[in-house]
Amino acid sequence: RKPDRIYRKMGSILESGVVKNLGRELSFVGIISVTVVLWNSLIAGGWVDFFGVEHDPLIAGLPTTQLPLSLFTLSSPALGLLLVFRTNASY
Protein backbone atom coordinates (compact mmCIF):
# COMPACT_ATOMS: atom_id res chain seq x y z
CA ARG A 1 0.00 0.00 0.00
CA LYS A 2 1.22 3.41 -0.87
CA PRO A 3 0.98 6.04 1.87
CA ASP A 4 -0.28 8.69 -0.56
CA ARG A 5 -3.26 6.64 -1.78
CA ILE A 6 -5.66 8.82 0.21
CA TYR A 7 -4.77 11.81 -1.95
CA ARG A 8 -5.39 9.86 -5.15
CA LYS A 9 -8.72 8.60 -3.83
CA MET A 10 -9.83 12.05 -2.67
CA GLY A 11 -8.90 13.49 -6.05
CA SER A 12 -11.03 10.96 -7.89
CA ILE A 13 -14.22 11.42 -5.85
CA LEU A 14 -15.80 13.71 -8.45
CA GLU A 15 -15.15 11.09 -11.14
CA SER A 16 -17.17 8.49 -9.24
CA GLY A 17 -20.26 7.07 -10.90
CA VAL A 18 -22.30 7.56 -7.73
CA VAL A 19 -21.42 11.25 -7.55
CA LYS A 20 -22.10 11.71 -11.26
CA ASN A 21 -25.52 10.06 -10.97
CA LEU A 22 -26.55 11.88 -7.79
CA GLY A 23 -24.97 15.25 -8.61
CA ARG A 24 -28.20 16.97 -9.62
CA GLU A 25 -30.12 15.76 -6.56
CA LEU A 26 -27.29 16.59 -4.15
CA SER A 27 -26.94 20.05 -5.66
CA PHE A 28 -30.68 20.67 -5.25
CA VAL A 29 -30.67 19.55 -1.60
CA GLY A 30 -27.55 21.63 -0.91
CA ILE A 31 -29.02 24.78 -2.45
CA ILE A 32 -32.28 24.37 -0.50
CA SER A 33 -30.34 23.78 2.74
CA VAL A 34 -28.17 26.86 2.28
CA THR A 35 -31.24 28.93 1.44
CA VAL A 36 -33.05 27.82 4.61
CA VAL A 37 -30.00 28.48 6.80
CA LEU A 38 -29.49 31.95 5.32
CA TRP A 39 -33.21 32.74 5.65
CA ASN A 40 -33.38 31.65 9.28
CA SER A 41 -30.08 33.12 10.42
CA LEU A 42 -29.76 36.37 8.48
CA ILE A 43 -33.03 37.53 7.00
CA ALA A 44 -35.82 36.43 9.35
CA GLY A 45 -34.36 35.31 12.65
CA GLY A 46 -31.29 37.34 13.43
CA TRP A 47 -27.95 35.85 14.43
CA VAL A 48 -25.41 35.62 17.21
CA ASP A 49 -21.80 36.41 16.33
CA PHE A 50 -18.68 34.73 17.71
CA PHE A 51 -18.56 37.12 20.67
CA GLY A 52 -22.11 36.27 21.77
CA VAL A 53 -23.66 39.53 20.56
CA GLU A 54 -27.20 39.09 19.23
CA HIS A 55 -28.02 40.96 16.03
CA ASP A 56 -31.47 41.85 14.75
CA PRO A 57 -32.74 40.24 11.55
CA LEU A 58 -32.28 42.13 8.30
CA ILE A 59 -36.05 42.22 7.72
CA ALA A 60 -38.09 42.17 10.91
CA GLY A 61 -41.43 40.38 11.13
CA LEU A 62 -40.79 37.54 8.66
CA PRO A 63 -41.50 34.00 9.84
CA THR A 64 -38.65 31.50 10.18
CA THR A 65 -38.85 28.08 8.55
CA GLN A 66 -38.79 24.87 10.57
CA LEU A 67 -39.70 21.20 10.35
CA PRO A 68 -41.59 19.31 13.04
CA LEU A 69 -39.36 16.84 14.89
CA SER A 70 -42.13 14.26 15.19
CA LEU A 71 -41.60 13.15 11.59
CA PHE A 72 -37.97 12.25 12.28
CA THR A 73 -38.76 10.71 15.66
CA LEU A 74 -41.41 8.40 14.23
CA SER A 75 -39.41 7.31 11.20
CA SER A 76 -36.00 6.78 12.84
CA PRO A 77 -36.66 3.26 14.30
CA ALA A 78 -37.92 1.98 10.95
CA LEU A 79 -34.96 3.47 9.10
CA GLY A 80 -32.56 2.03 11.66
CA LEU A 81 -33.99 -1.47 11.23
CA LEU A 82 -33.94 -1.10 7.47
CA LEU A 83 -30.26 -0.18 7.52
CA VAL A 84 -29.35 -3.00 9.92
CA PHE A 85 -31.08 -5.71 7.93
CA ARG A 86 -29.82 -4.33 4.63
CA THR A 87 -26.24 -4.38 5.92
CA ASN A 88 -26.59 -7.91 7.31
CA ALA A 89 -28.07 -9.14 4.04
CA SER A 90 -25.06 -7.85 2.10
CA TYR A 91 -22.70 -10.13 4.02
Side-chain angles (χ1 to χ4, degrees):
R1 290 182 155 184
K2 294 183 179 181
D4 65 337
R5 69 183 183 276
I6 185 72
Y7 301 115
R8 287 185 288 118
K9 298 293 184 186
M10 294 297 286
S12 66
I13 284 179
L14 295 178
E15 299 170 4
S16 167
V18 174
V19 173
K20 286 182 180 179
N21 289 336
L22 294 177
R24 187 176 293 165
E25 289 87 356
L26 291 176
S27 298
F28 177 74
V29 169
I31 289 170
I32 295 297
S33 301
V34 167
T35 303
V36 168
V37 167
L38 289 176
W39 177 267
N40 282 343
S41 62
L42 293 178
I43 297 174
W47 70 94
V48 178
D49 63 12
F50 293 120
F51 300 109
V53 178
E54 294 185 12
H55 298 277
D56 293 332
L58 295 178
I59 303 173
L62 293 177
T64 57
T65 57
Q66 58 186 350
L67 289 174
L69 289 178
S70 61
L71 297 175
F72 301 106
T73 305
L74 294 174
S75 64
S76 60
L79 287 174
L81 288 173
L82 178 70
L83 289 173
V84 166
F85 289 124
R86 177 70 179 165
T87 304
N88 286 341
S90 66
Y91 294 118

